Amino acid sequence: MQRDELADFLRRRREAIRPAEVGLADGRRRRTAGLRREEVAMLAGMSVDYVVRLEQGRSSQPSTQLLGALARALRLSDDERDHLFHLAGHQPPPADGTARLARAGLLRMLDLLGDTPAIVLSDLGETLAQNRGAMLLSGDQVGLEGDRRYHAYRWFTDPVARAVHPSEDEERHSRVIVADLRAVAGRRHGDPTIARLVARLNAESETFRRLWAEHEVAVRRFDHKTFVNSRVGPLLMHCETLVTPDLGQLLLVLTPADDDTRERFDLLRVVGLQEFAAEV
C-alpha cells in the first residue's frame, strides 16, 4: 500500500471534481476547491474521519468495497479507478468480470437525471450504482454479496424479491429475465461465471429450468413494470435501457407511464425511502 501516493491522489481528485458533477449545489460561498471531505464521505457512505485519515496517509488498508465506493463518489474513470486500487495494494476488478464498477460516463448520466429513477447494471444484472429515485422504487441494491448480487438469482430463488411486483406479472418478467440471460450467455460463451450462475439456477428453480429449456432469446431494451408500494399504491413505470458499445453495462431509466403514477411517485419522493424487498 502506497499511503502517501494514495493520500495525494484522493485529495487531488476531490479538489478537481465540481459539486454539480455529483448532483450537489455549487454555492458561491465555497472556499474549498472541488468537493468538501464531508461530501465525499456522504457520497461514499463512510465517516468523515476515515476520509481525513486517508488523505493524511494515516489509514489502514481500505477494502475493495470501500475503494469501489470512493471511485463512484469521485467519478473516477476506468484508468483512475485501476490506479486507485493499485495504490491501495489491491488488484483492480477485471475489465470483463461481473464485479465491475460503474463506468464514469454512466455515473455522470445518473447524476444528470436528477429525481428520475435510474440504475447502472452489469450485463448479468448486478446493480453497480443507483440514484435516490431508484431506491424509492426498489430499495438499496448496491453491494449485495454472493449469488444475490445477480438480478436473475434473486428473482428465481427469493419470493420476497418478487413481491415488489404484482404476482400476475411474474411469468412475463421471468421470461424476459431468462431470454436476456440467454443472450448474454451466447455473447460471453465459455465464461465460467455465467456457466456457474446458470447451473445454480437450474439446480434451485423449477421455473428457471422450464424457461431455460425453451431457449428464448431477447435483449432487454424497452419494457414496462408495475411496482407494488404499500405507501402510495401501484406505480406503472416505463423502462428504457441504454447500453455501452460493448454491451457490458447498461443504464436503466424509469419514468412514470401515466398521470396517476406521476402523482403517486411525487408523493413517494416526499414520503421518503421505505424499506422493503430490493428488486427491479
PDB file of all heavy atoms in Angstrom, residues 169-194:
ATOM      1  N   ASP A 169     -47.748 -10.514 -12.880  1.00  0.00           N
ATOM      2  CA  ASP A 169     -46.686 -10.139 -13.822  1.00  0.00           C
ATOM      3  C   ASP A 169     -45.485 -11.086 -13.759  1.00  0.00           C
ATOM      4  O   ASP A 169     -44.540 -10.948 -14.539  1.00  0.00           O
ATOM      5  CB  ASP A 169     -46.196  -8.709 -13.534  1.00  0.00           C
ATOM      6  CG  ASP A 169     -47.239  -7.657 -13.855  1.00  0.00           C
ATOM      7  OD1 ASP A 169     -48.250  -8.007 -14.495  1.00  0.00           O
ATOM      8  OD2 ASP A 169     -47.038  -6.497 -13.463  1.00  0.00           O
ATOM      9  N   GLU A 170     -45.500 -12.043 -12.845  1.00  0.00           N
ATOM     10  CA  GLU A 170     -44.315 -12.861 -12.605  1.00  0.00           C
ATOM     11  C   GLU A 170     -43.892 -13.666 -13.828  1.00  0.00           C
ATOM     12  O   GLU A 170     -42.707 -13.743 -14.159  1.00  0.00           O
ATOM     13  CB  GLU A 170     -44.546 -13.800 -11.422  1.00  0.00           C
ATOM     14  CG  GLU A 170     -44.491 -13.113 -10.076  1.00  0.00           C
ATOM     15  CD  GLU A 170     -44.537 -14.100  -8.927  1.00  0.00           C
ATOM     16  OE1 GLU A 170     -44.365 -15.323  -9.174  1.00  0.00           O
ATOM     17  OE2 GLU A 170     -44.752 -13.670  -7.781  1.00  0.00           O
ATOM     18  N   GLU A 171     -44.834 -14.288 -14.524  1.00  0.00           N
ATOM     19  CA  GLU A 171     -44.478 -15.123 -15.666  1.00  0.00           C
ATOM     20  C   GLU A 171     -43.814 -14.290 -16.759  1.00  0.00           C
ATOM     21  O   GLU A 171     -42.788 -14.695 -17.333  1.00  0.00           O
ATOM     22  CB  GLU A 171     -45.722 -15.822 -16.213  1.00  0.00           C
ATOM     23  CG  GLU A 171     -45.481 -16.660 -17.479  1.00  0.00           C
ATOM     24  CD  GLU A 171     -44.658 -17.927 -17.237  1.00  0.00           C
ATOM     25  OE1 GLU A 171     -44.491 -18.300 -16.047  1.00  0.00           O
ATOM     26  OE2 GLU A 171     -44.188 -18.526 -18.214  1.00  0.00           O
ATOM     27  N   ARG A 172     -44.376 -13.116 -17.049  1.00  0.00           N
ATOM     28  CA  ARG A 172     -43.798 -12.263 -18.100  1.00  0.00           C
ATOM     29  C   ARG A 172     -42.399 -11.803 -17.717  1.00  0.00           C
ATOM     30  O   ARG A 172     -41.465 -11.870 -18.522  1.00  0.00           O
ATOM     31  CB  ARG A 172     -44.689 -11.048 -18.353  1.00  0.00           C
ATOM     32  CG  ARG A 172     -44.186 -10.156 -19.496  1.00  0.00           C
ATOM     33  CD  ARG A 172     -45.135  -9.007 -19.764  1.00  0.00           C
ATOM     34  NE  ARG A 172     -45.136  -8.056 -18.651  1.00  0.00           N
ATOM     35  CZ  ARG A 172     -44.245  -7.069 -18.529  1.00  0.00           C
ATOM     36  NH1 ARG A 172     -43.288  -6.919 -19.435  1.00  0.00           N
ATOM     37  NH2 ARG A 172     -44.321  -6.227 -17.531  1.00  0.00           N
ATOM     38  N   HIS A 173     -42.236 -11.351 -16.476  1.00  0.00           N
ATOM     39  CA  HIS A 173     -40.913 -10.916 -16.032  1.00  0.00           C
ATOM     40  C   HIS A 173     -39.916 -12.073 -16.069  1.00  0.00           C
ATOM     41  O   HIS A 173     -38.760 -11.894 -16.455  1.00  0.00           O
ATOM     42  CB  HIS A 173     -40.983 -10.353 -14.611  1.00  0.00           C
ATOM     43  CG  HIS A 173     -41.608  -8.996 -14.534  1.00  0.00           C
ATOM     44  ND1 HIS A 173     -41.412  -8.022 -15.488  1.00  0.00           N
ATOM     45  CD2 HIS A 173     -42.423  -8.439 -13.603  1.00  0.00           C
ATOM     46  CE1 HIS A 173     -42.078  -6.929 -15.158  1.00  0.00           C
ATOM     47  NE2 HIS A 173     -42.709  -7.167 -14.010  1.00  0.00           N
ATOM     48  N   SER A 174     -40.352 -13.266 -15.672  1.00  0.00           N
ATOM     49  CA  SER A 174     -39.464 -14.424 -15.673  1.00  0.00           C
ATOM     50  C   SER A 174     -38.962 -14.719 -17.076  1.00  0.00           C
ATOM     51  O   SER A 174     -37.770 -15.002 -17.284  1.00  0.00           O
ATOM     52  CB  SER A 174     -40.192 -15.644 -15.100  1.00  0.00           C
ATOM     53  OG  SER A 174     -40.533 -15.445 -13.740  1.00  0.00           O
ATOM     54  N   ARG A 175     -39.873 -14.666 -18.057  1.00  0.00           N
ATOM     55  CA  ARG A 175     -39.472 -14.936 -19.440  1.00  0.00           C
ATOM     56  C   ARG A 175     -38.487 -13.884 -19.953  1.00  0.00           C
ATOM     57  O   ARG A 175     -37.522 -14.211 -20.662  1.00  0.00           O
ATOM     58  CB  ARG A 175     -40.708 -14.986 -20.341  1.00  0.00           C
ATOM     59  CG  ARG A 175     -41.532 -16.243 -20.151  1.00  0.00           C
ATOM     60  CD  ARG A 175     -42.665 -16.348 -21.160  1.00  0.00           C
ATOM     61  NE  ARG A 175     -43.328 -17.639 -21.032  1.00  0.00           N
ATOM     62  CZ  ARG A 175     -42.904 -18.766 -21.585  1.00  0.00           C
ATOM     63  NH1 ARG A 175     -41.804 -18.741 -22.358  1.00  0.00           N
ATOM     64  NH2 ARG A 175     -43.553 -19.891 -21.421  1.00  0.00           N
ATOM     65  N   VAL A 176     -38.714 -12.621 -19.610  1.00  0.00           N
ATOM     66  CA  VAL A 176     -37.814 -11.553 -20.045  1.00  0.00           C
ATOM     67  C   VAL A 176     -36.423 -11.750 -19.453  1.00  0.00           C
ATOM     68  O   VAL A 176     -35.407 -11.616 -20.143  1.00  0.00           O
ATOM     69  CB  VAL A 176     -38.394 -10.174 -19.639  1.00  0.00           C
ATOM     70  CG1 VAL A 176     -37.346  -9.073 -19.832  1.00  0.00           C
ATOM     71  CG2 VAL A 176     -39.638  -9.856 -20.454  1.00  0.00           C
ATOM     72  N   ILE A 177     -36.373 -12.087 -18.185  1.00  0.00           N
ATOM     73  CA  ILE A 177     -35.088 -12.273 -17.498  1.00  0.00           C
ATOM     74  C   ILE A 177     -34.304 -13.432 -18.110  1.00  0.00           C
ATOM     75  O   ILE A 177     -33.105 -13.325 -18.376  1.00  0.00           O
ATOM     76  CB  ILE A 177     -35.320 -12.504 -15.995  1.00  0.00           C
ATOM     77  CG1 ILE A 177     -35.849 -11.222 -15.348  1.00  0.00           C
ATOM     78  CG2 ILE A 177     -34.031 -12.953 -15.308  1.00  0.00           C
ATOM     79  CD1 ILE A 177     -36.395 -11.426 -13.947  1.00  0.00           C
ATOM     80  N   VAL A 178     -34.983 -14.562 -18.343  1.00  0.00           N
ATOM     81  CA  VAL A 178     -34.299 -15.737 -18.883  1.00  0.00           C
ATOM     82  C   VAL A 178     -33.856 -15.485 -20.320  1.00  0.00           C
ATOM     83  O   VAL A 178     -32.740 -15.853 -20.708  1.00  0.00           O
ATOM     84  CB  VAL A 178     -35.212 -16.975 -18.805  1.00  0.00           C
ATOM     85  CG1 VAL A 178     -34.580 -18.151 -19.539  1.00  0.00           C
ATOM     86  CG2 VAL A 178     -35.469 -17.349 -17.353  1.00  0.00           C
ATOM     87  N   ALA A 179     -34.693 -14.854 -21.118  1.00  0.00           N
ATOM     88  CA  ALA A 179     -34.331 -14.579 -22.508  1.00  0.00           C
ATOM     89  C   ALA A 179     -33.127 -13.644 -22.595  1.00  0.00           C
ATOM     90  O   ALA A 179     -32.243 -13.814 -23.442  1.00  0.00           O
ATOM     91  CB  ALA A 179     -35.522 -13.968 -23.248  1.00  0.00           C
ATOM     92  N   ASP A 180     -33.062 -12.670 -21.689  1.00  0.00           N
ATOM     93  CA  ASP A 180     -31.922 -11.756 -21.669  1.00  0.00           C
ATOM     94  C   ASP A 180     -30.654 -12.479 -21.227  1.00  0.00           C
ATOM     95  O   ASP A 180     -29.568 -12.272 -21.790  1.00  0.00           O
ATOM     96  CB  ASP A 180     -32.223 -10.589 -20.731  1.00  0.00           C
ATOM     97  CG  ASP A 180     -31.109  -9.559 -20.714  1.00  0.00           C
ATOM     98  OD1 ASP A 180     -30.951  -8.847 -21.716  1.00  0.00           O
ATOM     99  OD2 ASP A 180     -30.386  -9.485 -19.700  1.00  0.00           O
ATOM    100  N   LEU A 181     -30.776 -13.356 -20.227  1.00  0.00           N
ATOM    101  CA  LEU A 181     -29.620 -14.123 -19.766  1.00  0.00           C
ATOM    102  C   LEU A 181     -29.114 -15.044 -20.868  1.00  0.00           C
ATOM    103  O   LEU A 181     -27.901 -15.256 -21.019  1.00  0.00           O
ATOM    104  CB  LEU A 181     -29.983 -14.934 -18.515  1.00  0.00           C
ATOM    105  CG  LEU A 181     -28.852 -15.726 -17.857  1.00  0.00           C
ATOM    106  CD1 LEU A 181     -27.703 -14.804 -17.454  1.00  0.00           C
ATOM    107  CD2 LEU A 181     -29.377 -16.492 -16.645  1.00  0.00           C
ATOM    108  N   ARG A 182     -30.022 -15.593 -21.670  1.00  0.00           N
ATOM    109  CA  ARG A 182     -29.624 -16.429 -22.811  1.00  0.00           C
ATOM    110  C   ARG A 182     -28.769 -15.617 -23.788  1.00  0.00           C
ATOM    111  O   ARG A 182     -27.755 -16.098 -24.315  1.00  0.00           O
ATOM    112  CB  ARG A 182     -30.862 -16.939 -23.534  1.00  0.00           C
ATOM    113  CG  ARG A 182     -31.373 -18.271 -23.087  1.00  0.00           C
ATOM    114  CD  ARG A 182     -30.479 -19.402 -23.549  1.00  0.00           C
ATOM    115  NE  ARG A 182     -31.066 -20.707 -23.240  1.00  0.00           N
ATOM    116  CZ  ARG A 182     -30.441 -21.846 -23.404  1.00  0.00           C
ATOM    117  NH1 ARG A 182     -29.210 -21.854 -23.871  1.00  0.00           N
ATOM    118  NH2 ARG A 182     -31.015 -22.986 -23.097  1.00  0.00           N
ATOM    119  N   ALA A 183     -29.188 -14.368 -24.038  1.00  0.00           N
ATOM    120  CA  ALA A 183     -28.437 -13.525 -24.963  1.00  0.00           C
ATOM    121  C   ALA A 183     -27.044 -13.235 -24.419  1.00  0.00           C
ATOM    122  O   ALA A 183     -26.046 -13.266 -25.159  1.00  0.00           O
ATOM    123  CB  ALA A 183     -29.200 -12.226 -25.209  1.00  0.00           C
ATOM    124  N   VAL A 184     -26.941 -12.960 -23.119  1.00  0.00           N
ATOM    125  CA  VAL A 184     -25.643 -12.701 -22.501  1.00  0.00           C
ATOM    126  C   VAL A 184     -24.770 -13.953 -22.553  1.00  0.00           C
ATOM    127  O   VAL A 184     -23.576 -13.880 -22.865  1.00  0.00           O
ATOM    128  CB  VAL A 184     -25.819 -12.230 -21.040  1.00  0.00           C
ATOM    129  CG1 VAL A 184     -24.451 -12.048 -20.375  1.00  0.00           C
ATOM    130  CG2 VAL A 184     -26.597 -10.923 -20.985  1.00  0.00           C
ATOM    131  N   ALA A 185     -25.350 -15.113 -22.268  1.00  0.00           N
ATOM    132  CA  ALA A 185     -24.596 -16.367 -22.289  1.00  0.00           C
ATOM    133  C   ALA A 185     -24.055 -16.654 -23.682  1.00  0.00           C
ATOM    134  O   ALA A 185     -22.933 -17.150 -23.843  1.00  0.00           O
ATOM    135  CB  ALA A 185     -25.487 -17.517 -21.816  1.00  0.00           C
ATOM    136  N   GLY A 186     -24.836 -16.343 -24.705  1.00  0.00           N
ATOM    137  CA  GLY A 186     -24.352 -16.540 -26.061  1.00  0.00           C
ATOM    138  C   GLY A 186     -23.236 -15.579 -26.426  1.00  0.00           C
ATOM    139  O   GLY A 186     -22.259 -15.959 -27.088  1.00  0.00           O
ATOM    140  N   ARG A 187     -23.364 -14.351 -25.972  1.00  0.00           N
ATOM    141  CA  ARG A 187     -22.357 -13.330 -26.268  1.00  0.00           C
ATOM    142  C   ARG A 187     -21.053 -13.587 -25.524  1.00  0.00           C
ATOM    143  O   ARG A 187     -19.973 -13.288 -26.018  1.00  0.00           O
ATOM    144  CB  ARG A 187     -22.935 -11.959 -25.890  1.00  0.00           C
ATOM    145  CG  ARG A 187     -22.107 -10.770 -26.343  1.00  0.00           C
ATOM    146  CD  ARG A 187     -22.890  -9.479 -26.227  1.00  0.00           C
ATOM    147  NE  ARG A 187     -23.277  -9.174 -24.855  1.00  0.00           N
ATOM    148  CZ  ARG A 187     -24.538  -9.143 -24.411  1.00  0.00           C
ATOM    149  NH1 ARG A 187     -25.522  -9.446 -25.238  1.00  0.00           N
ATOM    150  NH2 ARG A 187     -24.811  -8.837 -23.169  1.00  0.00           N
ATOM    151  N   ARG A 188     -21.156 -14.136 -24.304  1.00  0.00           N
ATOM    152  CA  ARG A 188     -19.973 -14.405 -23.485  1.00  0.00           C
ATOM    153  C   ARG A 188     -19.762 -15.919 -23.342  1.00  0.00           C
ATOM    154  O   ARG A 188     -19.547 -16.436 -22.260  1.00  0.00           O
ATOM    155  CB  ARG A 188     -20.135 -13.747 -22.110  1.00  0.00           C
ATOM    156  CG  ARG A 188     -20.066 -12.233 -22.179  1.00  0.00           C
ATOM    157  CD  ARG A 188     -20.452 -11.565 -20.870  1.00  0.00           C
ATOM    158  NE  ARG A 188     -19.671 -12.030 -19.738  1.00  0.00           N
ATOM    159  CZ  ARG A 188     -19.793 -11.542 -18.502  1.00  0.00           C
ATOM    160  NH1 ARG A 188     -20.679 -10.569 -18.276  1.00  0.00           N
ATOM    161  NH2 ARG A 188     -19.060 -12.010 -17.518  1.00  0.00           N
ATOM    162  N   HIS A 189     -19.823 -16.612 -24.468  1.00  0.00           N
ATOM    163  CA  HIS A 189     -19.707 -18.073 -24.480  1.00  0.00           C
ATOM    164  C   HIS A 189     -18.391 -18.507 -23.839  1.00  0.00           C
ATOM    165  O   HIS A 189     -17.322 -17.958 -24.110  1.00  0.00           O
ATOM    166  CB  HIS A 189     -19.767 -18.594 -25.917  1.00  0.00           C
ATOM    167  CG  HIS A 189     -19.570 -20.075 -26.021  1.00  0.00           C
ATOM    168  ND1 HIS A 189     -20.491 -20.980 -25.542  1.00  0.00           N
ATOM    169  CD2 HIS A 189     -18.543 -20.812 -26.532  1.00  0.00           C
ATOM    170  CE1 HIS A 189     -20.056 -22.201 -25.758  1.00  0.00           C
ATOM    171  NE2 HIS A 189     -18.876 -22.124 -26.363  1.00  0.00           N
ATOM    172  N   GLY A 190     -18.472 -19.493 -22.952  1.00  0.00           N
ATOM    173  CA  GLY A 190     -17.290 -20.010 -22.296  1.00  0.00           C
ATOM    174  C   GLY A 190     -16.938 -19.302 -21.005  1.00  0.00           C
ATOM    175  O   GLY A 190     -15.989 -19.718 -20.315  1.00  0.00           O
ATOM    176  N   ASP A 191     -17.670 -18.245 -20.642  1.00  0.00           N
ATOM    177  CA  ASP A 191     -17.408 -17.518 -19.397  1.00  0.00           C
ATOM    178  C   ASP A 191     -17.839 -18.391 -18.214  1.00  0.00           C
ATOM    179  O   ASP A 191     -19.017 -18.730 -18.082  1.00  0.00           O
ATOM    180  CB  ASP A 191     -18.193 -16.203 -19.398  1.00  0.00           C
ATOM    181  CG  ASP A 191     -17.806 -15.297 -18.226  1.00  0.00           C
ATOM    182  OD1 ASP A 191     -17.603 -15.813 -17.118  1.00  0.00           O
ATOM    183  OD2 ASP A 191     -17.731 -14.068 -18.427  1.00  0.00           O
ATOM    184  N   PRO A 192     -16.914 -18.764 -17.320  1.00  0.00           N
ATOM    185  CA  PRO A 192     -17.270 -19.656 -16.206  1.00  0.00           C
ATOM    186  C   PRO A 192     -18.243 -19.022 -15.217  1.00  0.00           C
ATOM    187  O   PRO A 192     -19.005 -19.734 -14.561  1.00  0.00           O
ATOM    188  CB  PRO A 192     -15.919 -19.954 -15.543  1.00  0.00           C
ATOM    189  CG  PRO A 192     -15.020 -18.836 -15.962  1.00  0.00           C
ATOM    190  CD  PRO A 192     -15.474 -18.450 -17.335  1.00  0.00           C
ATOM    191  N   THR A 193     -18.243 -17.701 -15.105  1.00  0.00           N
ATOM    192  CA  THR A 193     -19.174 -17.029 -14.189  1.00  0.00           C
ATOM    193  C   THR A 193     -20.612 -17.284 -14.615  1.00  0.00           C
ATOM    194  O   THR A 193     -21.478 -17.616 -13.794  1.00  0.00           O
ATOM    195  CB  THR A 193     -18.898 -15.514 -14.138  1.00  0.00           C
ATOM    196  OG1 THR A 193     -17.572 -15.287 -13.669  1.00  0.00           O
ATOM    197  CG2 THR A 193     -19.886 -14.817 -13.215  1.00  0.00           C
ATOM    198  N   ILE A 194     -20.881 -17.162 -15.907  1.00  0.00           N
ATOM    199  CA  ILE A 194     -22.237 -17.389 -16.409  1.00  0.00           C
ATOM    200  C   ILE A 194     -22.599 -18.860 -16.312  1.00  0.00           C
ATOM    201  O   ILE A 194     -23.727 -19.213 -15.933  1.00  0.00           O
ATOM    202  CB  ILE A 194     -22.356 -16.883 -17.859  1.00  0.00           C
ATOM    203  CG1 ILE A 194     -22.143 -15.375 -17.912  1.00  0.00           C
ATOM    204  CG2 ILE A 194     -23.714 -17.250 -18.449  1.00  0.00           C
ATOM    205  CD1 ILE A 194     -22.197 -14.784 -19.295  1.00  0.00           C
TER     206      ILE A 194
END
